[in-house]
Amino acid sequence: MKIKNWYSTGKPWVIAGPCSAETEEQLIQTVDGLVESGITTIRAGVWKPRTRPNSFEGVGEMAFPWIKKAKELYPHLQFAIEVASAEHVDLALKNDIDILWVGARTTVNPFNIQEIAEAVRGVDDIPVLVKNPINPDLALWVGALERFDAVGIQKLGAIHRGFSTYQESIYRNIPLWQIPIELKSRYPEILLINDPSHIAGKRDLLFEIAQKAMDLQYDGLIIESHRNPDEAWSDAAQQLTPLALKEMLNQLKIREKSFPNKDFRNELEGIRDQIDETDKELLEVLSRRLELVKKVGQYKKEKNVAIFQLERWNKILENRPLWGEKLFLDAQFVKSVYQSIHDESIRIQTEIYNEE
Ligand code: PEP
Ligand code: MN
C-alpha cells in the first residue's frame, strides 16, 4: 500500500460536531456555535451503530436536508458522516457529503468493508477515514485501509478511537497508543486522527487525551460537540459545547512539526507509554482488591470477629509468592508487596470497626 500525503496545511485538522444529527434545530445551532469557534469540518452521525437495540439509531436520510441547509448558511463548511453500507455511500454521495468515515464496528468486518470500498470505487477525490476496529487488532485496521487503497481512494486516513476491553478502565475505550503508533511507523504518510471523545467516554478526560495525541504528532482530532451535551440523544457524557471545545483547543500545546517522519516516536517513549498504561491497570486492580477488603471488613464487623486472622494471613504469605513465581516474579518481592497490601487492609478495616 503506497499512501500519499494529501493533507498538508501544517495545522492539526479538527473535525467536530454532534455524535448524531437529531433535529434540524439542534444541528444548525450546533453548527452556528462551531463556526463561531473556528471549526470548518463538521461531523454528524446520520446512521448510528448502537450496541443495544432500542437505543437511538440516528435519523437517517432525514438529516440530509439539514446538512444542505447548514452548507447554504456556511458555504465554506465540509461535512463528514459515517457510512456502514453501499446504500449509505450512495446516499452520502448523492447528498454532497464531503468526507466519509467507517465506524469501529464496521472495520471489524471485511465483507462490510469490501462492500463499502466497492461503492466508493472510482470516487477518488473523497477522503475516507477508517476508524480502528473495536478489538485491538492492527492487521484488521490495515486490512480495511488496504481495501480502500485497492479501489483507488487517494485520500485515506485512520481514526484512533480506542479499543473495547472487558477489564475495568477509566476509559470508555482504552487507547492502547502502541497500536496507532505502530500503524504510523509502518505508513508514515497516513493521516492519523485521534478521537478523544470515544476513547474518553466522559468530558473530563478529553483534554489529556487530545494533548497526548498532539504530543505524538497526530494530524488531527475528531471531537464530538453538541449545543446542549447533557440533552444529547447519544453519547451525552462525552460531548462538549462548541464554546468549551474552543477553550479546550486553545489550551492544547500544538507541536511545531505537524508531519511526522519515520522516527516520529522514539523507542523509550513508546515503552514508557506502555508502562503508564500498565500502571493504570495495576492501580485499577489494586483498587478492586481494596474494595473487597472493605466488604470483608464490614462482614467481619457484623459477625463480631477480629480483624486480623493469623491463619488467613499465613495462607496469603504462603501462596502469593508461589503464584508469583509462576509469573517469573521474585518471591521476596511478592512477599513485600503483600506486606504493604496487608498493612493497608488492616488500616481500612480498622477504620470500618471504628465507625459507629
Ligand atoms: C461515532 O463516531 O459516533 C461512532 C459511532 O464511533 P465509533 O465507530 O468509534 O464507535
Ligand atoms: Mn458517538
Side-chain angles (χ1 to χ4, degrees):
M1 183 166 57
K2 175 93 192 76
I3 291 182
K4 279 213 315 244
N5 184 345
W6 57 274
Y7 182 85
S8 48
T9 66
K11 279 200 216 128
W13 183 17
V14 180
I15 303 171
C19 177
S20 310
E22 298 163 1
T23 63
E24 177 172 336
E25 198 192 23
Q26 168 256 5
L27 185 69
I28 300 291
Q29 283 183 4
T30 303
V31 169
D32 287 339
L34 289 168
V35 167
E36 191 129 320
S37 295
I39 302 296
T40 55
T41 311
I42 309 289
R43 61 151 284 154
V46 170
W47 300 280
K48 302 301 300 177
R50 303 311 299 272
T51 305
R52 309 275 305 270
N54 306 321
S55 311
F56 171 61
E57 292 184 329
V59 295
E61 282 177 71
M62 208 170 38
F64 290 123
W66 311 338
I67 293 175
K68 185 162 179 244
K69 184 166 175 192
K71 284 183 153 194
E72 278 162 11
L73 286 169
Y74 304 106
H76 70 293
L77 287 183
Q78 292 211 304
F79 269 80
I81 70 164
E82 172 175 350
V83 288
S85 66
E87 190 197 355
H88 291 170
V89 171
D90 293 343
L91 285 166
L93 296 176
K94 213 186 285 163
N95 286 285
D96 294 323
I97 296 301
D98 308 280
I99 297 151
L100 306 178
W101 89 77
V102 171
R105 291 161 194 77
T106 305
T107 307
V108 293
N109 186 335
F111 285 135
N112 234 217
I113 291 289
Q114 191 59 37
E115 175 193 325
I116 298 167
E118 292 302 339
V120 289
R121 187 188 283 278
V123 196
D124 56 6
D125 204 36
I126 197 157
V128 175
L129 311 176
V130 180
K131 287 208 179 193
N132 66 254
I134 47 179
N135 51 325
D137 185 341
L138 178 57
L140 214 40
W141 200 1
V142 170
L145 290 161
E146 283 170 340
R147 288 175 197 275
F148 287 107
D149 179 62
V151 296
I153 292 298
Q154 304 279 319
K155 298 182 174 173
L156 259 185
I159 300 177
H160 169 217
R161 53 77 81 193
F163 302 87
S164 282
T165 163
Y166 191 61
Q167 293 162 18
E168 264 181 66
S169 164
I170 54 165
Y171 301 107
R172 176 176 175 194
N173 292 291
I174 50 169
L176 303 177
W177 295 94
Q178 63 273 28
I179 294 178
I181 287 166
E182 175 64 25
L183 178 75
K184 190 79 181 175
S185 345
R186 277 197 221 169
Y187 305 101
E189 308 299 333
I190 201 162
L191 181 89
L192 181 60
I193 293 179
N194 182 258
D195 176 347
S197 308
H198 291 89
I199 292 177
K202 48 187 172 306
R203 278 184 277 286
D204 58 358
L205 283 179
L206 292 173
F207 176 78
E208 73 171 71
I209 297 165
Q211 183 60 61
K212 176 143 180 167
M214 292 299 97
D215 296 345
L216 294 174
Q217 296 180 29
Y218 276 57
D219 304 290
L221 298 167
I222 179 165
I223 305 184
E224 289 187 340
S225 178
H226 189 288
R227 62 165 178 177
N228 188 358
D230 289 331
E231 302 293 314
W233 297 358
S234 57
D235 289 352
Q238 71 196 29
Q239 306 206 54
L240 284 175
T241 62
L243 187 62
L245 171 70
K246 182 178 169 189
E247 284 163 5
M248 188 186 91
L249 293 175
N250 283 342
Q251 279 177 34
L252 285 178
K253 287 200 196 72
I254 310 295
R255 308 303 172 193
E256 280 301 310
K257 196 166 58 106
S258 25
F259 278 90
N261 50 32
K262 263 202 158 54
D263 46 29
F264 90 120
R265 294 277 298 148
N266 74 43
E267 189 87 17
L268 180 66
E269 272 180 88
I271 299 171
R272 282 185 175 153
D273 281 342
Q274 292 181 37
I275 291 180
D276 287 354
E277 293 308 311
T278 311
D279 279 348
K280 284 181 195 162
E281 284 171 27
L282 201 60
L283 291 169
E284 279 168 14
V285 172
L286 205 51
S287 148
R288 268 207 314 271
R289 190 355 173 136
L290 294 175
E291 281 304 312
L292 291 169
V293 164
K294 278 184 205 157
K295 217 163 158 179
V296 90
Q298 295 284 6
Y299 186 76
K300 285 194 278 189
K301 183 180 177 186
E302 265 168 48
K303 301 290 176 210
N304 201 27
V305 297
I307 293 179
F308 181 60
Q309 304 276 328
L310 182 64
E311 213 179 303
R312 168 74 178 156
W313 176 229
N314 281 336
K315 195 101 210 133
I316 288 179
L317 275 190
E318 186 187 310
N319 55 21
R320 270 47 169 183
L322 292 176
W323 296 351
E325 272 178 352
K326 292 202 180 112
L327 299 165
F328 307 104
L329 294 170
D330 179 79
Q332 205 47 50
F333 165 68
V334 173
K335 224 171 180 166
S336 68
V337 169
Y338 273 92
Q339 292 285 4
S340 301
I341 293 179
H342 189 246
D343 288 349
E344 180 61 3
S345 305
I346 298 283
R347 191 191 65 75
I348 290 173
Q349 294 184 73
T350 308
E351 255 178 21
I352 292 173
Y353 274 58
N354 288 342
E355 281 165 10
E356 268 321 302

